Amino acid sequence: MMEVRNAPPDIDQILVGAIDGERLTGDEICCLLNLQERSDFEKLFEAAREIRKKHFGDRIFLYGFIYFSTYCRNDCTFCFYRRSNKVSERYRKTTEEILDTAGKLSESGVHLLDLTMGEDPQYFTDNRFAGLLETVAAVKKDTGMPIMISPGVIPEEVLLAFRQIGVEWYACYQETHNRELYARLRLGQSYEERMQRKKYAREIGFLVEEGLLSGVGESAEDLLDSFKVMAELQADQLRVMSFIPQKGTPLENMETGSHLREMLIIAVMRLLFPDRLIPGSLDVDGIAGLKERLHAGANVVTSIIPPQKGFLGVSQSTLDIDEGTRTVAGVVPVLEECGLVPAGIDDYRCWMAETLMKRHNPDNAPGANK
Ligand code: SAM
Ligand code: MD0
Ligand code: SF4
């Protein structure tokens, strides 16, 4: 009997289809994730940039990052700030310090402030979130800026209270949607509860960010599953960051492979979720790594941190911060080299408003190709 085999997918054809708004099949997505030739990567990145241009023109959004508490009750194996790491720096910033930094960041021209913490036991014990809510409300009042919170899995009623004081975004990254891999990364944390909190956040009117780690042993099939979950969740912002091994943690000596994989994933996400926000983070390769992330189709620069203030990053806790290049002034020349410009704050507010409006029209669901 003759063996019947499907011809391997043709990459030019896949990319033309994606640009035309056709939905990619699982085989096509895996084919893109497994590309090996530099010339093929370039074709993929070019298609991703074309799709970005169609939806966002040459405008890029910029996010300020405020890691206000590095205490954490969790023990994620990939994270420098896991509770059992003796070598990580711990601090909890005061309201004044947070307000000062929030003010500096907004004056510098960012479009959003991302307020991030470890799951700091001080807030979680006896549900003492009231003080934090006041601080965040003060940031909102002082700066008038769009705000994202990245507090981990907080109780539903606290999340609702953040929404009620006008916080627009909830960021919470699953890292992977392979449950076995999740269990090795987020030790002792419920997969379901973490996913459920994002669904709840969306229901109460938050914009939601989901995120992946790359270089932690995930397969192309795992990524395919993640894209499905991200589409079901209808996440508004989707990120991937290469895993950076951290001193003093169980994965300190893990071989992680090239960060090029992150660029491939960024580009594939751009094809699958053409009108969503996809960050290129300065928290992985610093300012030197920004160009390649923009080149792959990212449209948000995240982890902008003011120098000399004693605030840290997450996976690159100090890289480029006190040098002052992890700033709007450091980012703009890189945008220019790529033929891009910072968006206006009104562009950002419009994007948020339109995205929330589209939710009521299923034809416009995120990931629905147009
Ligand atoms: N504690 C909250 C949480 O975990 O949801 C908020 C912190 S959030 C900014 C931490 C995120 O940074 C993780 O979800 C992970 O995606 C990323 N991250 C942490 N350590 C990392 C590392 N070593 N390499 C790359 N990304 C890392
Ligand atoms: C970043 N270091 O943007 C930040 C952080 C949390 N919402 C974001 C991982 O890369
Ligand atoms: Fe804590 Fe977040 Fe780090 Fe996990 S990733 S240890 S929850 S700060």
Side-chain angles (χ1 to χ4, degrees):
M1 252 231 262
M2 223 174 67
E3 199 187 342
V4 181
R5 269 211 196 154
N6 292 331
D10 174 76
I11 142 139
D12 295 309
Q13 225 176 314
I14 299 175
L15 296 177
V16 169
I19 292 168
D20 280 353
E22 277 168 31
R23 228 173 247 280
L24 301 188
T25 65
D27 279 353
E28 290 172 335
I29 296 169
C30 282
C31 163
L32 295 177
L33 290 170
N34 289 324
L35 291 179
Q36 299 294 331
E37 300 293 326
R38 187 80 228 183
S39 57
D40 287 338
F41 298 154
E42 284 307 325
K43 286 182 190 171
L44 168 62
F45 297 156
E46 199 181 331
R49 293 196 300 276
E50 189 169 336
I51 293 171
R52 177 183 66 200
K53 193 173 179 119
K54 194 158 127 192
H55 290 271
F56 297 94
D58 53 6
R59 283 169 294 194
I60 299 292
F61 300 128
L62 309 176
Y63 287 6
F65 182 67
I66 301 182
Y67 198 5
F68 63 88
S69 172
T70 61
Y71 289 92
C72 190
R73 63 178 181 176
N74 286 333
D75 225 4
C76 302
T77 45
F78 55 85
C79 182
F80 186 55
Y81 302 98
R82 69 199 302 264
R83 77 163 180 258
S84 50
N85 193 359
K86 301 279 179 291
V87 303
S88 78
E89 192 184 322
R90 308 283 172 187
Y91 62 72
R92 185 180 299 112
K93 299 292 184 185
T94 63
T95 302
E96 289 65 36
E97 288 169 315
I98 297 171
L99 284 174
D100 176 53
T101 286
K104 294 264 171 346
L105 276 170
S106 32
E107 282 161 22
S108 78
V110 298
H111 303 112
L112 169 139
L113 300 172
D114 177 358
L115 300 172
T116 294
M117 63 181 218
E119 289 191 9
D120 182 343
Q122 170 148 325
Y123 302 119
F124 283 85
T125 316
D126 305 325
N127 202 359
R128 279 183 288 161
F129 282 99
L132 184 57
L133 277 155
E134 274 174 30
T135 302
V136 175
V139 172
K140 187 91 198 154
K141 183 162 170 280
D142 264 29
T143 64
M145 293 288 290
I147 292 181
M148 167 183 276
I149 46 161
S150 311
V153 178
I154 54 175
E156 284 188 352
E157 61 275 19
V158 178
L159 199 50
L160 181 61
F162 275 114
R163 182 69 204 108
Q164 285 165 343
I165 61 168
V167 173
E168 289 89 346
W169 283 90
Y170 176 57
C172 182
Y173 315 142
Q174 209 74 11
E175 328 299 351
T176 175
H177 301 85
N178 171 331
R179 283 157 196 259
E180 191 260 331
L181 181 53
Y182 176 92
R184 280 187 275 134
L185 295 174
R186 288 196 161 270
L187 293 187
Q189 296 167 53
S190 159
Y191 178 99
E192 277 75 22
E193 192 187 29
R194 199 169 175 84
M195 277 314 294
Q196 194 283 331
R197 210 53 105 251
K198 286 177 264 214
K199 291 181 189 157
Y200 174 72
R202 192 173 183 283
E203 277 164 28
I204 60 174
F206 275 105
L207 293 156
V208 171
E209 181 178 23
E210 173 62 304
L212 304 177
L213 273 184
S214 71
V216 284
E218 75 289 350
S219 65
E221 286 70 26
D222 290 335
L223 292 169
L224 199 57
D225 281 344
S226 285
F227 300 146
K228 282 191 191 135
V229 177
M230 286 170 155
E232 276 162 25
L233 179 65
Q234 306 196 357
D236 304 288
Q237 180 166 300
L238 307 153
R239 81 160 55 206
V240 54
M241 298 205 304
S242 302
F243 165 55
I244 309 286
Q246 302 293 324
K247 237 201 201 137
T249 65
L251 303 183
E252 178 169 3
N253 298 314
M254 185 168 162
E255 288 285 334
T256 59
S258 157
H259 291 183
L260 194 57
R261 188 168 172 81
E262 177 188 329
M263 312 313 140
L264 280 182
I265 300 172
I266 288 177
V268 169
M269 291 200 303
R270 173 59 65 211
L271 267 47
L272 297 177
F273 305 99
D275 60 350
R276 305 288 92 184
L277 303 185
I278 301 175
S281 175
L282 298 171
D283 205 27
V284 183
D285 294 316
I287 195 75
L290 180 55
K291 214 179 205 173
E292 56 180 338
R293 287 167 174 78
L294 294 168
H295 193 69
N299 71 326
V300 186
V301 180
T302 69
S303 208
I304 290 174
I305 302 177
Q308 325 289 342
K309 294 266 166 205
F311 282 82
L312 294 173
V314 179
S315 42
Q316 291 289 2
S317 58
T318 55
L319 179 67
D320 294 339
I321 297 177
D322 283 346
E323 292 74 6
T325 45
R326 218 155 133 172
T327 53
V328 174
V331 164
V332 169
V334 182
L335 296 184
E336 278 166 7
E337 283 172 42
C338 300
L340 300 164
V341 293
I345 184 76
D346 290 342
D347 293 324
Y348 189 66
R349 290 187 194 284
C350 264
W351 186 89
M352 288 197 299
E354 277 173 12
T355 302
L356 287 169
M357 250 157 57
K358 280 189 212 167
R359 284 190 180 175
H360 303 295
N361 178 353
D363 291 342
N364 286 324
N369 289 330
K370 276 166 262 153

